Amino acid sequence: MAWNFEKHASELLRDHGSIEAPVDVERLAKALGISVRYERLDKDVSGLLLVENGVAKVAINELHHLNRQRFTLAHEIGHVLLHAGSDRVFVDRRFFRNEWSSKGELREEIEANAFAAALLMPQSLVRQHLAADAGITDVDVFRLATRFQVSEQAMTLRLVKLKYIEPD
Ligand SMILES: [Zn+2]
């Protein structure tokens, strides 16, 4: 059965945080009992997730941009909720799409990313912050990305997904 990322992410925010931009992803991780550390990791590694005896520990690469760190943490929360039923280790790299051949792992990465986007840019909140009508300009994307503390690329993908803008 398809997991409803949008619904689950907004329920999570409602239950453990608040739905406002920027989403306080660290507070959410704490509320879920996930420990988070910021470390110097290999430059290609965005984050690590270790799940052991039901306890989740995340390390985020502090060398990366704050926006990226936030997305990585949201991505790891997605793994915890979706994929970490038993003890697991996740090593998340910048360019996982090319590196991972296993279909199962790729599916998990796509799901964790979809969850992260829904968590950091909830549809209801994006809609609130969109200028009334008249199409979305590059300036709007920049303004939204700044407001939500995500990269412009992440915001662009999200706006395409929500059908507010056309893909390039
Ligand atoms: Zn991942």
Side-chain angles (χ1 to χ4, degrees):
M1 197 185 109
W3 212 72
N4 189 330
F5 302 106
E6 306 293 335
K7 184 161 173 282
H8 197 93
S10 55
E11 283 175 359
L12 202 62
L13 286 172
R14 202 185 53 213
D15 294 347
H16 294 286
S18 52
I19 304 186
E20 58 186 339
V23 167
D24 191 342
V25 66
E26 195 168 62
R27 177 172 151 195
L28 186 65
K30 284 207 182 89
L32 293 170
I34 300 168
S35 81
V36 183
R37 295 197 305 187
Y38 296 86
E39 299 177 3
R40 285 169 173 264
L41 303 173
D42 186 278
K43 67 174 167 40
D44 291 332
V45 175
S46 302
L48 305 170
L49 166 63
L50 173 66
V51 182
E52 224 173 21
N53 302 319
V55 178
K57 296 172 186 171
V58 171
I60 302 290
N61 196 341
E62 68 177 13
L63 299 175
H64 289 173
H65 191 284
L66 176 66
N67 291 343
R68 176 158 197 90
Q69 294 182 30
R70 286 168 49 74
F71 196 92
T72 300
L73 181 51
H75 175 106
E76 304 303 352
I77 291 172
H79 279 317
V80 171
L81 296 175
L82 288 161
H83 309 131
S86 54
D87 291 1
R88 290 276 305 266
V89 177
F90 295 85
V91 179
D92 284 304
R93 295 180 185 279
R94 193 184 285 258
F95 300 116
F96 59 81
R97 273 165 209 272
N98 302 327
E99 287 171 5
W100 290 6
S101 52
S102 155
K103 270 194 173 146
E105 287 191 351
L106 182 59
R107 180 183 56 78
E108 288 185 343
E109 294 317 305
I110 291 168
E111 288 177 351
N113 280 342
F115 178 81
L119 190 67
L120 293 173
M121 298 164 275
Q123 183 164 14
S124 60
L125 207 52
V126 171
R127 197 187 303 119
Q128 271 177 41
H129 286 272
L130 279 175
D133 42 4
I136 296 171
T137 65
D138 288 349
V139 175
D140 293 325
V141 175
F142 177 66
R143 182 176 56 79
L144 283 168
T146 304
R147 178 75 183 141
F148 283 75
Q149 286 183 23
V150 298
S151 69
E152 285 176 70
Q153 186 193 22
M155 181 54 76
T156 301
L157 288 170
R158 184 65 174 152
L159 292 171
V160 169
K161 164 88 175 138
L162 296 175
K163 299 192 163 44
Y164 289 122
I165 55 177
E166 298 282 331
D168 276 342

